Amino acid sequence: GGPSAVDIAIELTAEATQVAVARTSCIIRLDACPPNMDDSKPLVKELRGDGNVVFIDDSIEPFDIIIYCTGYHYQFPFLDDSCEIDLTVLKCVSPLYKHLVHCKHPSLFLMGIPFTVVPFVLFDVQSQFIRAVLNGVTQLPTTEEMLQDEQEDLEQRLAIGWPIRYKHKFGSFQWPYMRELAAMAKTQPLPPVLERLSEHCIKVLISSPLTYRDADYELVDEHTWRYKTS
């Protein structure tokens, strides 16, 4: 699991004798885990009937309960097959231009597909882009050009070693992505302070995973934030 698995594990440390998080990789690796939590386990290779778990490094440990925090699959049961949403590749939605616009049906928009993002900020930028398209402010490329853009975007991710299931993963890519959408929609770009505050919050999560939610912030201007005092 990833960040959600870490959140759940931290909650469980209040009740469990020992908690472990097994994963391939994650955007966060905690500096200060609770003493009864291990967030560095590799992936599981085998579950044995006697309660022992075998990890891919061949280490073996007993566990009473296993929680699968392996993410989700995209599904759109409310859309007819004529919408031509391709979900055949795990955790990939195609064909989407800018992870948002259906390349073959450009009046169909799928918001919120990207992950490892600041969600509501991203949703706001995407919604403004959609409005610009519908109002005629933004002219979309041809179907062929949008399909080519989608393929080039995927190839950039594969080139840095990401598996294809990370087609819609963003992380630090979210900020240039949102700036690009804002420019295309002819709207104001996000203030730089949001990116800086997001980076700071991740650092606080890593260093203080038990208390990071207690922090309260306020924006001073488009470049500056500060801790909020009561």
Side-chain angles (χ1 to χ4, degrees):
S4 295
V6 172
D7 279 343
I8 294 170
I10 290 173
E11 294 288 336
L12 291 174
T13 57
E15 304 294 335
T17 302
Q18 184 68 30
V19 179
V21 180
R23 52 189 171 175
T24 50
S25 62
C26 188
I27 60 169
I28 56 173
R29 181 70 70 187
L30 303 183
D31 290 340
C33 287
N36 59 335
M37 175 179 162
D38 182 355
D39 78 327
S40 62
K41 288 294 183 185
L43 288 181
V44 174
K45 181 170 71 174
E46 179 186 354
L47 302 178
R48 294 182 174 174
D50 60 0
N52 281 313
V53 173
V54 183
F55 297 93
I56 59 173
D57 62 357
D58 291 325
S59 61
I60 302 175
E61 289 189 37
F63 288 92
D64 299 315
I65 297 173
I66 296 175
I67 300 175
Y68 292 89
C69 304
T70 52
Y72 54 87
H73 295 171
Y74 297 102
Q75 292 183 329
F76 304 96
F78 47 85
L79 293 179
D80 188 79
D81 290 344
S82 62
C83 293
E84 300 182 273
I85 301 293
D86 185 353
L87 303 173
T88 54
V89 179
L90 181 66
K91 295 189 177 181
C92 295
V93 184
S94 293
L96 285 186
Y97 174 65
K98 303 303 180 188
H99 305 264
L100 179 60
V101 185
H102 196 301
C103 298
K104 298 180 180 178
H105 304 287
S107 62
L108 175 59
F109 305 90
L110 300 179
M111 285 182 57
I113 298 297
F115 62 95
T116 315
V117 296
V118 181
F120 295 108
V121 173
L122 181 103
F123 301 160
D124 182 56
V125 173
Q126 287 187 325
S127 66
Q128 293 185 58
F129 179 85
I130 292 170
R131 181 182 62 184
V133 172
L134 296 177
N135 287 343
V137 174
T138 299
Q139 299 298 318
L140 295 173
T142 65
T143 298
E144 292 72 20
E145 289 170 334
M146 288 192 286
L147 289 169
Q148 180 63 29
D149 185 89
E150 178 189 35
Q151 182 61 31
E152 291 174 356
D153 184 271
L154 175 60
E155 289 174 356
Q156 289 177 0
R157 284 164 164 72
L158 299 177
I160 62 173
W162 283 5
I164 194 169
R165 69 177 183 274
Y166 285 178
K167 176 181 179 179
H168 303 297
K169 179 177 179 178
F170 274 77
S172 61
F173 294 157
Q174 67 184 298
W175 306 106
Y177 168 75
M178 288 190 279
R179 286 193 290 269
E180 180 184 24
L181 290 188
M184 294 175 68
K186 299 179 175 59
T187 58
Q188 288 294 320
L190 292 174
V193 64
L194 296 182
E195 182 176 355
R196 294 174 182 173
L197 182 55
S198 174
E199 293 173 349
H200 169 78
C201 289
I202 292 174
K203 292 178 181 178
V204 174
L205 165 60
I206 293 171
S207 63
S208 307
L210 300 181
T211 59
Y212 75 97
R213 285 193 175 91
D214 297 336
D216 198 3
Y217 307 94
E218 62 182 350
L219 303 184
V220 178
D221 54 41
E222 64 175 14
H223 298 283
T224 313
W225 59 267
R226 65 188 175 198
Y227 286 102
K228 188 175 183 180
T229 57
S230 55

